[in-house]
Amino acid sequence: MKRFLFILVFNSILGIGQNQTDSIKAYSNQFESSFNEMKYDLALISANKLFSFAKQKNKSSVQDKAIIYKAKVYFKLKMFEQSISLIEGIIKKKYSTKEEITNFLEANNILANIHYSKYEDDKAIAKYIYIDSISESNNFTNDVQIRALQNIGLMMLRGYNPSNNKIYGKAKDYFKKSYELAKSSNSLTEMHVSGLYYGSTLVESENPDIETALKLYDDANKYFYENKLVKEFSDTYWAYASLYRKISRNDLATKYYKEFIEKSKTFNDDNALIRAYWAYASYLYQIKNHDEAIINYTAVVENIKNKKNVDYSIISNSYYYLSSIYKSRNENDLAYESLENYITYRDSLEQKNDNQLFNDLETKYQTEKKEQEIELLKTKNELSEKQKYIYIAIAGLLLISGLFLFYGYRNKIKTAQKLNKLNELKSRFFANISHEFRTPLTLIKSPVQQLQSNTTNEEQNKQLNLIDNNANRLLELVDQLLELSKIDNGKLQIILKKGNLKHFFQSIIEPFSFKAKEENQAFTFTTENLDFETHFDKDIFTKITSNLLDNAFKYNEQGKPIDFIAKKENQNLIIQVRNYNSQLKESDYKKLFERFYQKNNAISGFGIGLALVKDLVELYEGTIKTNFNNQQISFTVELPLNKNLANAIIIEEKGKTEIISDIISETNHNSELPILLVVDDNASIREVIKDIFATNYQILEATNGKEALKLAQKEIPDCIISDLIMPEMDGFEFSNQIKSNELTSFIPVILVTAKSSDDTHLKALQSTADVFLTKPFNHEVLKATVSQQIQERKKLQERYSQELILKPTEVVINSVDEKFIAKLETVLETAIPNSEFNAEIFAEEMHMSRMQLHRKLKSLFGVSATEFIRNERLKMAADLLKNDKLNISEIAYNVGFNDVGYFSKCFKEMYYLSPSDYQKK
């Protein structure tokens, strides 16, 4: 029986380990895929997820791996300082396992690559040789070591001078070593990359080995093609071209140089394209094809200008040979100009070709490498003697403790499973209760807000305010419980957006200033060094600040001041709240952050506000401290102002839309009110929204997405407000159907839901809906949102009225509308000259009813079908009037007007000039 239990537990442990391994592998694969496709924002998200998972599972080596992933992204984005700050800790760590050594080498390799990119060759080569040394001393062949050897060879070739074949030979040795190591470790990609470099040195050496080089090239070319390695595949063309150039097969050399250029254009790498042009130009110069050489040297110069981290050796080389060519052709002005540029860029090389530097560095680090190996062998010999006795003692201890661990671990697994199940039930309960509470709260708050705006009775107003305040408090408690549940289960993420900290705190503090004036309470608010924009989570900052101030106002001694200070110190935000409370002692400090802490029955409890603040601060990797002095209690929060938070998602805003509040008044000047479609399965919610908009809109109602879709296609509303959770068709599906239909694609969709989770919010932002609001909504915010969406459509209408010719790609905002306008153009091209062409024929040609076409054109361009036809005829006429060969009568008949007088009248109404005056202009 015991044996059976042991096997069962052992298999369970293996299963848990396998699940963890699969999760780590999945996150790593997501990162590699996004990183290789240069989708760096998605790569960062995957790295952050891996870090959070590893932190939760207490796997430090995997956490380091995630940090290295992030550092790689920052390196690719040329954010070198951020990349270095991430890997500094890993470089300083001691290593023992293979995973730790790999992380250590990867971190050093990133630092070496940064030096390499900055042309700090001495530092770069030192790091690369150090990586090789550590790998050899630990008898650990790896891809980082192989890439380091490749880079040493490339750096030596970059500093190669034909007069110094010694350094060229050393480059060859490094390439050969990297090739042999890759081959022995079965690292196929690195083997073929090294083979390509090694083969090039065989071709260019004093005694070329063409046959071996060609075999290496063929093997590499086949592998790169089969594995879709585009960059490496294109590099083989340079290698082939160099080989055929060496054996004087100029026809094949020219072919491969040209293909090298074309392949380099297919991926986003300026340096590769520059190298391709430069290599081909050098070849053309050698075979004295000066015309083509000038074209390609010029392409090098044009592509390399205004680029950071320019390889001055390539551009100076290009100018030198351009000068030589122009001089041979007696084009002295161009020769002189090229020579001047050559001298300028040559002086900027800053001793890049100092070959002695490479020799000195290599000798220095090779010596250090040997010394390190000797020291390591001595240490190993000393340890081996001691380890015999240590192993015996450890084996005995393991045997004794193994049994205790087995039974203890079995109980721990059972307890953990029960706790996980309990946490899941608790999270589901809080999520469900939050959702259920929000709808009735909306139905409580909405009528109250309506009554507040209509009542003039002061006593009734006080009672309504009491209801509204308590509804808000209940909503706040529900949200706090949900937030704590998310934090407990590790599901709350930090959403970083850019904003001005000073303006943000002013908006947060304003209600408290107003409250202080109403209660005749002394309240001071100070900000220091915050008038700048940075990335921060507005929701978390709001919750921390509001809860601290709520607590201060609630428990402050009567007549005593409350102080709030927000300032920047170093790279951190400091928030300090001070108030007076004589009933608390220092012994109460540690318990203040306990949920629902109550000192005694005579004092009201502290609820969950401070507990939520503490958890949010820790999630944000900050600190919170309390201090008590002369009955004054202060809370000091310190939060980092950076984007390198473990659980953070960064959202870059592409633009800000200004909310315009006076659109309704403009809408009322139209002959017909805009149509608003309200979709919600709750009749009470529909009634509330109907009351808000009844004065200024025509209201249509639907109980679900399926019903609303038919109604929208029939009536073509100006805006849609839809619930998210509905029977038959939910809000996401309904929004997608609206936006993908030619009849309705232009209609703004506002999703309103009781779900307030970050996942729902992110999904809504990524969907086709235009706006996402949470219940209970504020009436004025909802009004302004609808108005803003209609105003954005009016901007398109105004843009259309100013265009001389209909241009779909400049007017529309999505591909469905673009296709619709392209269809309009096709119909109008043949129909405009026909004077019999009218709205009925137009609707038939567009395969719509006349009403549908009318509503579509009215919403998209602000004109009816008849006005649209007339305007397009007048625009075409305006274009024809620029041609002096046609008279006004001919133009009028050509664009479908039978009456020249009526044409002149319509033209003048649209352009404020008669056709004859317009033609003279």
Side-chain angles (χ1 to χ4, degrees), residues 450-636:
Q450 288 286 82
L451 290 170
Q452 283 176 317
S453 61
N454 295 329
T455 186
T456 57
N457 186 304
E458 188 175 342
E459 188 60 34
Q460 288 181 356
N461 222 358
K462 286 182 180 178
Q463 292 174 347
L464 290 170
N465 284 335
L466 184 63
I467 296 171
D468 194 42
N469 289 338
N470 280 282
N472 287 333
R473 178 58 182 159
L474 182 57
L475 180 65
E476 182 184 340
L477 286 171
V478 169
D479 286 342
Q480 286 180 345
L481 286 170
L482 189 59
E483 291 289 316
L484 284 168
S485 175
K486 287 180 183 177
I487 294 171
D488 289 343
N489 287 279
K491 292 182 179 178
L492 185 65
Q493 288 188 305
I494 301 169
I495 309 296
L496 298 179
K497 291 185 180 178
K498 204 166 190 179
N500 185 291
L501 279 172
K502 183 178 180 181
H503 298 164
F504 168 76
F505 278 112
Q506 286 174 342
S507 66
I508 295 298
I509 297 302
E510 187 176 1
F512 292 98
S513 298
F514 182 75
K515 181 178 180 180
K517 288 179 183 177
E518 279 191 328
E519 297 176 357
N520 197 24
Q521 175 73 59
F523 175 59
T524 60
F525 163 49
T526 308
T527 60
E528 298 176 14
N529 306 323
L530 294 183
D531 195 5
F532 63 92
E533 288 203 343
T534 186
H535 284 80
F536 63 97
D537 190 312
K538 295 181 181 179
D539 183 57
I540 290 179
F541 279 27
T542 300
K543 285 183 171 69
I544 291 171
T545 305
S546 298
N547 275 294
L548 288 175
L549 284 171
D550 276 335
N551 184 72
F553 273 86
K554 185 176 179 181
Y555 300 105
N556 192 50
E557 295 285 339
Q558 188 66 32
K560 297 285 187 178
I562 298 171
D563 299 320
F564 177 88
I565 300 171
K567 59 185 177 180
K568 179 189 174 187
E569 285 186 2
N570 300 323
Q571 293 301 315
N572 296 321
L573 171 69
I574 309 297
I575 300 172
Q576 191 173 64
V577 179
R578 297 194 294 255
N579 67 291
Y580 286 83
N581 191 327
S582 59
Q583 295 177 327
L584 290 176
K585 307 299 179 188
E586 288 194 34
S587 57
D588 299 312
Y589 283 175
K590 294 182 180 179
K591 299 179 181 178
L592 285 177
F593 298 107
E594 294 178 4
R595 299 173 191 181
F596 301 105
Y597 169 65
Q598 189 170 1
K599 182 178 180 182
N600 55 56
N601 293 332
I603 301 175
S604 61
F606 283 86
I608 57 176
L610 288 178
L612 177 61
V613 167
K614 182 175 181 292
D615 288 349
L616 289 173
V617 169
E618 290 176 352
L619 176 70
Y620 215 90
E621 300 179 18
T623 59
I624 182 167
K625 298 176 183 176
T626 56
N627 187 39
F628 190 77
N629 186 19
N630 294 329
Q631 299 184 352
Q632 185 186 55
I633 185 170
S634 69
F635 293 90
T636 303

Side-chain angles (χ1 to χ4, degrees), residues 91-285:
I91 290 172
K92 293 176 183 177
K93 279 186 178 180
K94 293 183 178 180
Y95 54 82
S96 57
T97 65
K98 278 195 174 182
E99 290 82 1
E100 290 170 345
I101 297 173
T102 301
N103 290 337
F104 178 79
L105 294 175
E106 284 281 12
N108 276 280
N109 192 55
I110 292 170
L111 189 56
N113 290 341
I114 291 171
H115 292 315
Y116 187 22
S117 299
K118 290 181 173 182
Y119 288 88
E120 297 172 350
D121 290 354
D122 53 341
K123 296 178 181 178
I125 198 170
K127 278 291 176 187
Y128 288 135
I129 295 177
Y130 178 64
I131 290 167
D132 180 45
S133 171
I134 293 297
S135 301
E136 284 197 352
S137 62
N138 286 277
N139 195 25
F140 178 43
T141 301
N142 56 86
D143 285 355
V144 185
Q145 177 191 17
I146 293 163
R147 292 196 301 271
L149 291 167
Q150 292 171 4
N151 287 332
I152 295 170
L154 289 171
M155 290 177 69
M156 288 187 168
L157 290 184
R158 187 163 76 179
Y160 172 62
N161 187 313
S163 63
N164 188 350
N165 281 317
K166 181 181 177 183
I167 198 168
Y168 189 89
K170 288 184 180 297
K172 178 181 176 182
D173 292 340
Y174 279 109
F175 289 139
K176 183 179 180 182
K177 182 179 178 182
S178 68
Y179 174 75
E180 290 173 348
L181 285 175
K183 188 174 181 180
S184 66
S185 62
N186 202 29
S187 180
L188 297 178
T189 300
E190 297 304 333
M191 181 185 81
H192 289 300
V193 170
S194 297
L196 207 61
Y197 296 146
Y198 179 45
S200 297
T201 61
L202 293 175
V203 171
E204 300 297 336
S205 63
E206 291 182 4
N207 300 306
D209 185 351
I210 302 299
E211 186 177 343
T212 303
L214 192 57
K215 184 179 185 311
L216 289 168
Y217 293 167
D218 289 340
D219 290 345
N221 188 55
K222 181 181 177 183
Y223 178 81
F224 295 149
Y225 177 77
E226 289 175 350
N227 289 275
K228 298 180 181 178
L229 300 173
V230 181
K231 181 184 181 303
E232 290 80 0
F233 181 60
S234 69
D235 283 349
T236 59
Y237 286 89
W238 189 359
Y240 278 126
S242 298
L243 185 145
Y244 289 117
R245 171 183 175 182
K246 187 73 176 179
I247 62 175
S248 301
R249 284 297 306 274
N250 292 349
D251 53 337
L252 291 176
T254 301
K255 171 191 171 184
Y256 281 109
Y257 275 124
K258 287 182 177 179
E259 289 196 29
F260 178 40
I261 292 171
E262 292 307 313
K263 294 294 179 185
S264 297
K265 290 178 181 177
T266 60
F267 54 93
N268 188 23
D269 190 335
D270 292 332
N271 289 329
L273 184 58
I274 290 165
R275 287 187 301 119
Y277 278 124
W278 179 80
Y280 187 35
S282 301
Y283 163 69
L284 293 166
Y285 179 82

Side-chain angles (χ1 to χ4, degrees), residues 60-77:
S60 61
S61 63
V62 181
Q63 289 182 54
D64 289 345
K65 184 179 182 181
I67 291 169
I68 288 168
Y69 282 168
K70 291 171 70 174
K72 283 184 176 180
V73 173
Y74 288 136
F75 169 72
K76 284 293 184 181
L77 296 174

Side-chain angles (χ1 to χ4, degrees), residues 800 824 827-828 831-843 850 853 857 863-876 895-897:
Y800 164 73
L824 285 180
V827 172
L828 291 173
I832 284 288
N834 180 8
S835 60
E836 300 297 319
F837 183 72
N838 57 23
E840 285 82 8
I841 299 172
F842 193 13
R850 183 174 177 180
L853 180 61
L857 294 175
V863 294
S864 66
T866 302
E867 290 170 330
F868 183 84
I869 294 169
R870 187 191 64 186
N871 289 350
E872 289 302 308
R873 281 174 168 158
L874 292 172
K875 289 178 184 180
M876 188 178 291
V895 296
F897 283 88

Side-chain angles (χ1 to χ4, degrees), residues 20 88 94 120 147 270 359 386 499 586 650 675 865:
Q20 291 182 8
E88 278 179 339
K94 293 183 178 180
E120 297 172 350
R147 292 196 301 271
D270 292 332
N359 292 327
K386 296 178 182 178
E586 288 194 34
I650 302 169
I675 298 173

